[in-house]
């Protein structure tokens, strides 16, 4: 079985030595808007409650959108850039807004992917080329879940765990802290789980392990396949 679990430091090393091709997923530009959930607030129950989804979407995600727009208000030259372009070129941004865009732009991007990768459509296992890739890389879907969960439990504090593609179309698992995300490293996210406490504390308290297990029940592998093929 191929070694699949890469730390972010290893990924960054790969970028410095090989360079990774950037991939854009959105043409949306300033002013960014709060996008509605693709399902009702209670659609993911009993695994994720209506209360959690309402707070997560209407407060946390919406606040990231608000803060991102405020940061760009005084920089008209940045307002024609897509979210992807902003996040993949952070070092070129003005110093006074760089971290604001990193944190809040990352929060917008991460949450939109997170919300869209979940559903109540009961697509509980990978299919097609993604299934083949997971089995080739991790040995089996169950092995992948085990590796993914282990990586997610290793995140200290707030952050994310992702299944991504590198520039060679190899699948790997990476962690990012806070609202950092794979596109900042030139990687293509397929799925990602939010490990900030606001994503699960109302439902699971400090039991992150149970949250991760139950999150797989609402993970939409059909959408993951679209991300993989995009």
């Amino acid at each position: 079985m191929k070694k699949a679990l890469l730390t972010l430091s290893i990924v960054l090393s790969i970028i410095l030595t090989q360079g990774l091709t950037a991939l854009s997923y959105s043409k949306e530009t300033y002013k960014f808007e709060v996008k509605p959930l693709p399902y009702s607030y209670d659609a993911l129950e009993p695994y994720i409650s209506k209360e959690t989804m309402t707070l997560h979407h209407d407060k946390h995600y919406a606040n990231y959108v608000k803060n991102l727009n405020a940061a760009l208000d005084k920089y008209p030259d940045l307002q024609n850039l897509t979210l992807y372009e902003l996040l993949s070129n952070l070092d070129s941004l003005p110093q006074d807004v760089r971290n604001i865009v990193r944190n809040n732009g990352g929060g917008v991007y991460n949450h939109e992917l997170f919300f869209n990768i979940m559903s109540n459509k009961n697509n509980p296992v990978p299919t097609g080329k993604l299934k083949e890739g997971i089995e080739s890389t991790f040995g089996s879907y169950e092995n992948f879940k085990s590796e993914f969960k282990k990586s997610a439990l290793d995140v200290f504090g707030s952050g994310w765990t992702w299944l991504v593609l590198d520039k060679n179309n190899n699948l790997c698992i990476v962690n990012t802290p806070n609202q950092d995300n794979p596109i900042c490293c030139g990687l293509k996210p397929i799925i990602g789980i939010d490990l900030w406490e606001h994503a699960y504390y109302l439902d699971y308290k400090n039991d992150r392990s149970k949250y991760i297990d139950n999150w797989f029940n609402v993970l939409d592998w059909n959408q993951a396949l679209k991300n993989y093929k995009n």
Side-chain angles (χ1 to χ4, degrees):
M1 182 177 69
K2 298 178 182 178
K3 183 174 179 61
L5 183 60
L6 300 181
T7 63
L8 189 57
S9 61
I10 295 175
V11 172
L12 291 172
S13 176
I14 293 172
I15 294 167
L16 291 174
T17 58
Q18 297 181 3
L20 293 177
T21 302
L23 296 168
S24 178
Y25 309 109
S26 174
K27 296 300 182 185
E28 181 186 4
T29 57
Y30 170 96
K31 285 189 172 185
F32 295 95
E33 298 180 353
V34 175
K35 297 178 181 177
L37 289 172
Y39 37 74
S40 64
Y41 289 101
D42 61 356
L44 306 182
E45 292 183 340
Y47 305 110
I48 302 179
S49 68
K50 177 181 179 179
E51 184 179 11
T52 290
M53 291 305 299
T54 302
L55 177 67
H56 203 165
H57 179 272
D58 293 2
K59 300 299 182 181
H60 292 278
Y61 162 59
N63 198 52
Y64 288 125
V65 175
K66 176 183 176 182
N67 291 340
L68 175 60
N69 285 329
L72 299 177
D73 276 345
K74 60 180 179 179
Y75 287 102
D77 56 325
L78 299 180
Q79 293 173 10
N80 289 325
L81 298 180
T82 66
L83 184 55
Y84 170 83
E85 290 167 336
L86 288 167
L87 293 173
S88 59
N89 295 282
L90 287 171
D91 288 344
S92 68
L93 301 184
Q95 183 68 39
D96 63 324
V97 296
R98 187 177 302 162
N99 282 335
I100 299 174
V101 172
R102 177 179 183 172
N103 294 330
N104 291 279
V108 174
Y109 182 93
N110 293 350
H111 281 89
E112 289 180 357
L113 186 146
F114 178 68
F115 294 145
N116 287 328
I117 203 65
M118 298 186 294
S119 78
N120 60 350
K121 296 178 181 177
N122 193 27
N123 298 311
V125 294
T127 59
K129 293 294 184 180
L130 180 54
K131 176 178 182 290
E132 294 174 9
I134 287 174
E135 291 177 347
S136 174
T137 303
F138 300 94
S140 70
Y141 176 55
E142 291 303 318
N143 285 344
F144 159 73
K145 287 175 65 176
S146 177
E147 291 282 357
F148 191 90
K149 180 178 179 180
K150 180 179 182 298
S151 187
L153 290 174
D154 285 343
V155 173
F156 183 79
S158 301
W160 295 74
T161 294
W162 309 87
L163 175 67
V164 302
L165 277 175
D166 65 18
K167 76 160 190 174
N168 296 314
N169 285 328
N170 293 318
L171 288 169
C172 53
I173 296 168
V174 299
N175 293 336
T176 58
N178 303 313
Q179 292 297 349
D180 289 354
N181 58 65
I183 64 173
C184 297
C185 305
L187 302 172
K188 178 181 178 180
I190 308 302
I191 65 171
I193 184 171
D194 190 342
L195 299 170
W196 286 61
E197 286 190 342
H198 64 244
Y200 64 89
Y201 202 83
L202 290 178
D203 300 326
Y204 297 98
K205 301 300 185 283
N206 64 333
D207 194 348
R208 181 183 284 184
S209 177
K210 186 176 180 181
Y211 161 63
I212 297 167
D213 287 338
N214 280 341
W215 179 73
F216 277 101
N217 290 306
V218 294
L219 179 56
D220 186 349
W221 281 106
N222 281 355
Q223 182 59 49
L225 180 60
K226 293 177 183 177
N227 294 345
Y228 179 76
K229 294 165 65 176
N230 181 19

